[in-house]
Amino acid sequence: MTTQEKHSDGIFGKHGGRYVPKGLEASLDELNAAYNQYKNDPAFQQEFAYYLKTYAGRETPLFFCKNLTEQCGGAKIYLKREDLNHLGAHKINNTLGQILLAKRMGKKRIIAETGAGQHGVASAAVSALMGMKCVVYMGEEDTKRQRANVARMHMMGAEVVPVMEGQRTLKEAVDAAINDYIKNPDTFYLLGSAVGPHPYPLMVRDFQSVIGCETKEQTMEAEGRLPDACIACVGGGSNAIGMFYPFIEDKTVALIGVEPGGIGHKMGEHAATITYGTQGIIHGYSSYVLQDDKGEPASVYSISAGLDYPGVGPEHAMLKDQGRADYVIINDEEAINAFFTLSRSEGILPALESSHALAHALKIAPKMSKDKFIVVCLSGRGDKDLDQMLQYMK
Ligand SMILES: *Cc1c(COP(=O)(O)O)cnc(C)c1O
């Protein structure tokens, strides 16, 4: 049995599944049936590959950081350049896959949630591409913090709905999108990470697996073998699972997920869900969750908006339990330092999210021998973080 068949019911060990109101079951069943039909349909896969190539700009390069490697004095450091995708991050892989599925299902209205706005922009873009109406739910606090992305969504013809509940951030935006989905079964909910009720974690992982598949071929070409470690940042976990999944059976490859350690270990000072969380239910699935005494999702913090989420994809929770992947934390300061280190050594501005993954590579590379090599998933470009980073310029 392959790994994929083993989890085709959306159960990942103790995690995953579907914990939703009755009204949502039928929509998710319909989605699951369509997904199962098309994932093995050559015409669908061909169309997906076509848009990944001509619209997103794949394949993305695998880049050897010669300067950074010399500076660290240990294992070679490579970057998988997801920042070079259209819109500057890996999000486009998943939104293209889901919009093509929506089209085949005959859906005409797309809804999405967004935190920093990156998934909202990617959803707006693919909706424009396919001529569909797009409504993006975004916490009101986030609409103020991320005005440029709100403008981008508007320019691409999407409607942005500010969510006024609770902390007015990502968690409330997901709640609002789920409520819309319950009320409008004809709508397609384009979910932005490898989280949510079955079949989203499976589906998003499959659409993002192009990252790991390309990396495998590219490392074979560059080094004649598979890497010693793959490192990726974990928010909901989509870029990480996309990188990890094709390597799961390759036991010589260490898989390391990096969570945002923020400014401290206390609840509210970080968003390191696997590191500090406990088993719970959030947004329709079971996984590790950062929750308060009442079982409500805790408030979370990270310098990078894209990692600021109190849940985590159930497949990561399983990989952690199995010991197949390791999850570590990198704090704000280490991420900021990694941002400047890569900018100055290689002329690449990494997203603050990706800077977390990079920071861990900078930590372990010097302790590894020179014949080893590491691949870091550079999930996005740092241009979106410039205003924030200006204050740290010396
Ligand atoms: C959204 C985002 C992330 C976090 O999302 P995952 O689902 O954990 O991948 C990481 N990096 C960038 C650049 C992002 O935009």
Side-chain angles (χ1 to χ4, degrees):
M1 206 191 265
T2 67
T3 311
Q4 182 162 337
E5 284 158 354
K6 222 160 48 191
H7 304 293
S8 60
D9 55 357
I11 306 291
F12 298 97
K14 294 186 289 177
H15 312 280
R18 198 189 269 175
Y19 299 82
V20 297
K22 268 263 172 298
L24 217 55
E25 286 282 354
S27 301
L28 293 169
D29 282 341
E30 183 199 357
L31 176 65
N32 190 41
Y35 165 64
N36 279 310
Q37 177 185 344
Y38 291 116
K39 82 174 174 196
N40 298 316
D41 175 355
F44 178 85
Q45 289 302 336
Q46 210 169 15
E47 194 179 12
F48 183 37
Y50 169 81
Y51 282 105
L52 285 176
K53 178 167 190 241
T54 63
Y55 188 73
R58 300 203 75 91
E59 67 181 20
T60 60
L62 180 75
F63 176 68
F64 172 52
C65 296
K66 187 163 171 286
N67 301 331
L68 201 57
T69 299
E70 276 167 16
Q71 230 170 287
C72 286
K76 291 185 184 174
I77 301 172
Y78 283 86
L79 303 177
K80 178 58 174 164
R81 299 287 310 272
E82 291 302 298
D83 60 313
L84 292 178
N85 282 310
H86 177 45
L87 305 173
H90 67 290
K91 297 243 161 48
I92 193 72
N93 303 327
N94 171 47
T95 52
L96 275 174
Q98 288 197 46
I99 201 86
L100 293 174
L101 188 59
K103 194 177 82 169
R104 304 231 167 184
M105 291 171 74
K107 305 282 183 180
K108 305 221 157 49
R109 177 176 179 266
I110 303 298
I111 57 170
E113 83 295 335
T114 198
Q118 297 297 103
H119 176 60
V121 171
S123 298
V126 296
S127 298
L129 180 69
M130 294 296 154
M132 294 194 209
K133 182 175 168 44
C134 180
V135 178
V136 180
Y137 289 95
M138 187 170 189
E140 195 240 4
E141 188 59 34
D142 289 334
T143 62
K144 286 192 275 182
R145 285 192 291 203
Q146 303 289 340
R147 286 181 50 205
N149 276 341
V150 174
R152 284 186 184 99
M153 289 184 259
H154 284 152
M155 285 171 184
M156 292 174 181
E159 181 189 339
V160 180
V161 181
V163 179
M164 313 298 279
E165 319 297 323
Q167 289 191 312
R168 304 185 180 188
T169 59
L170 177 60
K171 186 206 152 277
E172 291 81 18
V174 180
D175 293 336
I178 291 175
N179 284 336
D180 180 314
Y181 194 31
I182 293 171
K183 277 188 225 133
N184 301 291
D186 286 342
T187 285
F188 188 97
Y189 180 14
L190 209 173
L191 189 56
S193 190
V195 300
H198 177 60
Y200 284 104
L202 273 175
M203 190 168 69
V204 175
R205 174 253 272 160
D206 288 349
F207 290 143
Q208 290 291 2
S209 290
V210 65
I211 301 173
C213 289
E214 287 180 5
T215 300
K216 244 179 156 165
E217 283 180 20
Q218 290 169 320
T219 55
M220 287 306 292
E221 197 168 313
E223 294 282 339
R225 64 180 184 90
L226 298 181
D228 296 289
C230 290
I231 307 179
C233 65
V234 178
S238 70
N239 86 89
I241 202 69
M243 173 61 94
F244 293 175
Y245 185 65
F247 289 100
I248 284 178
E249 304 298 331
D250 303 302
K251 299 286 154 65
T252 59
V253 182
L255 304 175
I256 307 170
V258 183
E259 298 196 301
I263 50 168
H265 301 280
K266 291 208 278 293
M267 205 64 100
E269 293 182 338
H270 59 79
T273 309
I274 295 183
T275 306
Y276 298 116
T278 48
Q279 176 112 28
I281 290 167
I282 182 172
H283 294 142
Y285 66 103
S286 169
S287 186
Y288 289 111
V289 181
L290 290 168
Q291 46 196 342
D292 63 21
D293 313 335
K294 296 186 214 95
E296 291 295 315
S299 64
V300 283
Y301 163 79
S302 165
I303 190 174
S304 61
L307 301 181
D308 213 348
Y309 177 65
V312 68
E315 194 160 5
H316 286 294
M318 180 191 72
L319 292 174
K320 156 80 181 177
D321 292 350
Q322 292 173 339
R324 176 62 190 96
D326 291 317
Y327 296 84
V328 299
I329 56 173
I330 283 291
N331 66 30
D332 283 4
E333 196 186 332
E334 293 168 312
I336 292 165
N337 289 338
F339 175 96
F340 287 114
T341 301
L342 185 68
S343 301
R344 284 165 192 170
S345 65
E346 305 288 352
I348 297 169
L349 302 180
L352 268 173
E353 292 83 0
S354 325
S355 299
H356 285 73
L358 187 71
H360 188 68
L362 298 179
K363 238 185 214 180
I364 64 171
K367 297 180 213 151
M368 295 167 69
S369 65
K370 289 188 178 178
D371 58 350
K372 307 266 179 186
F373 75 103
I374 299 172
V375 178
V376 177
C377 185
L378 204 74
S379 55
R381 66 178 179 222
D383 302 66
K384 69 182 177 59
D385 302 315
L386 288 196
D387 283 346
Q388 215 177 335
M389 293 310 289
L390 268 175
Q391 61 182 303
Y392 302 107
M393 285 284 290
K394 303 216 170 69

